Amino acid sequence: MNILADNGAAIAQALRDIHHHASRAPSTGKVADYIPALARVEASHCGLALATLDGEVQAAGDAERPFSIQSISKVFGLVLAMQRVGDDLWQRVGMEPSGQPFNSIVQLEWEHGIPRNPFINAGAILVSDTLVSHFSSSRQAFLSFVRRLSASECCDVNEAVLASEARHGSRNAALAHLMKSFGNLEAEVEDVLAHYFFQCSLEMSCSELARSLLFLANRGVHPLSGEQVTTARDAHRVNAILSTSGMYDQSGQFAFSVGLPAKSGVGGGIVAIVPGQGVITAWSPPLNRHGNSTRGLAMITELAGRLGLSIY
Ligand code: GLU
C-alpha cells in the first residue's frame, strides 16, 4: 500500500503537528561552528517537507528556506560518479560502515587509502576525484545535475560558506593527500578539494531536496521528469549504503529506531528515502554529538513511526 499517496490530508496534518511540536520543544544540541559562516545560522529555523512520487510536496515551517546541505551533497556526487564511472568506482571506495567519525584519518591509513564508504569525507573526496577526472567542469556538471533533479534553477553555492570551507579545510586536505600518497587519487589535490568544498557549500531548501531525491524512492527513475537517473540496481545500492552509513556513526541507531535510508549534513539537514513512496526532509541547525540535527531526528523519527514507514 502507498501510505503516503493515499492519505494526503492526514499526512499534511501530521507534518504540521510534528513540526509544531518539534519547533517548540526545548532546544538541545549545538549549531556547527567549525566555520564562521555556519556558526552564524539562526538555531531556531525548523522545516519539514515530504515529496511523494506523484510530485506533490507537503511542507511545514521553514521548508522553503535554503540552507547549507553539506554532507547531503555526497549523495548527488555519488550518483553522478556512478553514472559516469560505473562499477570501477567500487575498486577505489568501499561499502562498509566506518564505525569512525566522518573525518577520521587513522582508518584511511590502515586501509591503504581506500575509504570505507562514499559518505565519510575521505569517500566523498575520492568521489570528487572521479568527477574532476571525468568532467571538463565538474562543478558546473554537479550544479546542473542538482538543478535538473530539483527542477529549480535557484540552487546555488553560498560563497561565504565556500570561502570558509576552503580556509578551514586542513583535515580534508590531509585526507586527500593521504589518498594521493597511496595512488588512489588521480587529479590534483587542489582541484579535487575545490570540487568537494563547492558541493558542500550548496544551499537547498527542504522542498527542493525532497523533490530532487525522489528517483531513489522510485528505482532510479525521477517521477517528475521520467529521467532514468540511475539503474534500479544502482538506486538499490545507494539506498543500501545510506542505510548503513548515511547518519555518521549514529547510522545503526537510526536504522534501529527509524528504518529508512537517510543522509544528514552538519548544516542540520536530514533526508530520508521511503522506497516506493517518497522522500522526507527535515532541517534544524542544532546538532547532537554525532553531527545529526536533534530536531530533525525527532521529526523524522516521529513521522516514520506514526505512519509505519520502516523498510524493515
Ligand atoms: N564540509 C564538511 C566537512 O567536510 C561536511 C561535513 C558534513 O556535513 O558531514 O567537514
Side-chain angles (χ1 to χ4, degrees), residues 23-275:
S23 57
R24 279 157 189 77
S27 175
T28 56
K30 192 164 168 286
V31 177
D33 59 1
Y34 71 98
I35 54 174
L38 284 185
R40 285 196 291 271
V41 175
E42 178 53 60
S44 61
H45 287 313
C46 186
L48 183 61
L50 168 73
T52 42
L53 295 189
D54 56 8
E56 286 295 311
V57 181
Q58 318 249 30
D62 296 317
E64 309 302 335
R65 179 185 277 266
F67 63 90
S68 191
I69 69 168
Q70 291 293 333
S71 271
I72 299 173
S73 66
K74 292 171 179 166
V75 184
F76 297 116
L78 174 62
V79 171
L80 196 54
M82 288 168 89
Q83 275 185 353
R84 209 57 188 208
V85 184
D87 287 352
D88 289 350
L89 181 66
W90 304 108
Q91 304 298 315
R92 299 174 58 197
V93 61
M95 57 203 66
E96 298 297 339
S98 72
Q100 300 286 320
F102 66 96
N103 56 5
S104 166
I105 291 175
V106 281
Q107 193 171 55
L108 192 61
E109 165 83 11
W110 290 331
E111 300 188 353
H112 311 289
I114 312 274
R116 271 285 173 107
N117 68 66
F119 295 143
I120 52 174
N121 281 16
I125 292 168
L126 184 287
V127 166
S128 300
D129 177 59
T130 68
L131 298 177
V132 168
S133 306
H134 282 82
F135 288 98
S136 53
S137 170
S138 64
R139 282 172 273 180
Q140 196 48 50
F142 185 90
L143 195 56
S144 306
F145 182 56
V146 173
R147 286 180 174 172
R148 194 167 79 238
L149 293 177
S150 61
S152 168
E153 285 300 311
C154 311
C155 303
D156 216 336
V157 298
N158 178 314
E159 295 293 342
V161 173
L162 178 57
S164 274
E165 290 286 350
R167 224 178 4 259
H168 296 85
S170 307
R171 203 172 176 89
N172 288 318
L175 292 168
H177 281 289
L178 191 54
M179 287 190 283
K180 187 80 174 171
S181 77
F182 280 109
N184 198 20
L185 222 58
E186 285 170 5
E188 293 303 323
V189 166
E190 289 66 30
D191 297 338
V192 175
L193 290 173
H195 176 96
Y196 175 72
F197 294 141
F198 178 89
Q199 67 174 46
C200 285
S201 307
L202 192 66
E203 290 192 328
M204 294 174 77
S205 68
C206 289
S207 297
E208 287 169 339
L209 269 172
R211 226 177 11 246
S212 65
L213 291 172
L214 279 172
F215 68 96
L216 288 177
N218 196 40
R219 300 172 62 79
V221 178
H222 203 302
L224 304 183
S225 61
E227 178 185 348
Q228 182 90 48
V229 183
T230 67
T231 60
R233 185 199 66 167
D234 280 350
H236 154 88
R237 288 177 165 186
V238 174
N239 284 332
I241 305 175
L242 285 172
S243 298
T244 55
S245 307
M247 297 293 289
Y248 305 117
D249 48 353
Q250 201 176 13
S251 299
Q253 191 188 331
F254 188 82
F256 186 87
S257 55
V258 178
L260 294 173
K263 184 76 201 86
S264 66
V266 295
I270 303 176
V271 294
I273 314 297
V274 191

Side-chain angles (χ1 to χ4, degrees), residues 3-19:
I3 304 165
L4 297 184
D6 296 344
N7 299 286
I11 285 166
Q13 188 57 45
L15 279 178
R16 284 194 296 271
D17 285 353
I18 290 169
H19 172 270

